[in-house]
Amino acid sequence: PATPANNWICTDVTVFFKELSKLLSIPFYKIKSDSHRATKQFKKFGLINTQNYCALFEELGVSPDVPTDWLLQVFYKLHLSTKIESSPDIYFMPIVLPNRSTEIPQHCCVIENLCFTYNYTTTDWSEDLLDIPRGIFCKLAVQLVNSGRYKPCPKESDKSTIKILGNGLELYLIER
């Protein structure tokens, strides 16, 4: 059956981008009071629980006109979040994880570079440019988890080092 959450239409894209930016700017929030518990938890682990997302969205000032169920589904469809298989009511958004220095365990014996770059030519400059896209490791982590063969470790991850377990492997996606 159709519900308002999955039939909601956004005719002004700036409304969506405004609400999305509130969540993506979480790593830069300075939370000083205990009254923002949901925001503090989300900032620390990148997890949204379907029982507490209303509190999180209220704390962040997300417009009550935007259906929160719809917004969570959009994040999932845009590969900004993934559902944690063992707890389907929990979403993981690695892109909001804080910047901290996660230690790579000594038992990790194979470290290989996974480089993503692209070249582009512009008419404004007479040279080709090499660029490194940002956020690609967060998307890769989300896609690996969405495959169903990997499980994220949010409490052992940060924005530049995302730990994932699966297929007998312990993977660390490191952006340097």
Side-chain angles (χ1 to χ4, degrees):
T3 64
N6 59 17
N7 284 336
W8 198 71
I9 297 171
C10 187
T11 56
D12 182 1
V13 74
T14 57
V15 172
F16 172 70
F17 286 127
K18 180 181 173 189
E19 304 310 324
L20 175 64
S21 67
K22 290 175 184 176
L23 284 156
L24 297 183
S25 63
I26 286 284
F28 308 103
Y29 275 39
K30 294 198 185 313
I31 303 167
K32 296 177 183 172
S33 72
D34 286 337
S35 64
H36 287 83
R37 272 184 257 153
T39 306
K40 197 179 285 187
Q41 283 297 104
F42 183 56
K43 180 178 179 173
K44 190 173 183 179
F45 302 119
L47 297 171
I48 300 177
N49 186 315
T50 54
Q51 276 96 40
N52 74 355
Y53 69 84
C54 289
L56 172 68
F57 289 174
E58 185 178 312
E59 290 173 10
L60 295 175
V62 173
S63 172
D65 296 334
V66 177
T68 49
D69 290 340
W70 176 84
L71 200 53
L72 283 177
Q73 289 177 17
V74 169
F75 294 152
Y76 182 76
K77 296 224 186 258
L78 292 175
H79 300 285
L80 293 172
S81 70
T82 184
K83 293 179 184 177
I84 295 184
E85 193 171 296
S86 59
S87 303
D89 64 330
I90 297 177
Y91 290 82
F92 175 51
M93 287 184 73
I95 201 161
V96 301
L97 289 171
N99 292 317
R100 57 181 183 247
S101 183
T102 298
E103 296 282 326
I104 306 296
Q106 293 294 326
H107 68 271
C108 290
C109 57
V110 178
I111 297 178
E112 294 292 334
N113 289 329
L114 177 63
C115 297
F116 288 91
T117 62
Y118 58 90
N119 290 314
Y120 61 94
T121 305
T122 68
T123 56
D124 297 336
W125 296 288
S126 59
E127 59 188 284
D128 288 344
L129 299 173
L130 176 70
D131 199 5
I132 301 171
R134 300 286 173 215
I136 199 158
F137 291 100
C138 291
K139 183 172 180 177
L140 179 59
V142 166
Q143 288 183 327
L144 286 171
V145 173
N146 282 344
S147 75
R149 294 178 289 188
Y150 295 91
K151 169 178 114 166
C153 300
K155 295 181 180 179
E156 299 174 55
S157 300
D158 62 52
K159 188 182 271 306
S160 61
T161 306
I162 302 171
K163 180 179 177 181
I164 298 174
L165 301 174
N167 290 340
L169 299 173
E170 187 174 305
L171 299 176
Y172 291 87
L173 300 175
I174 304 168
E175 187 170 359
R176 298 199 193 268

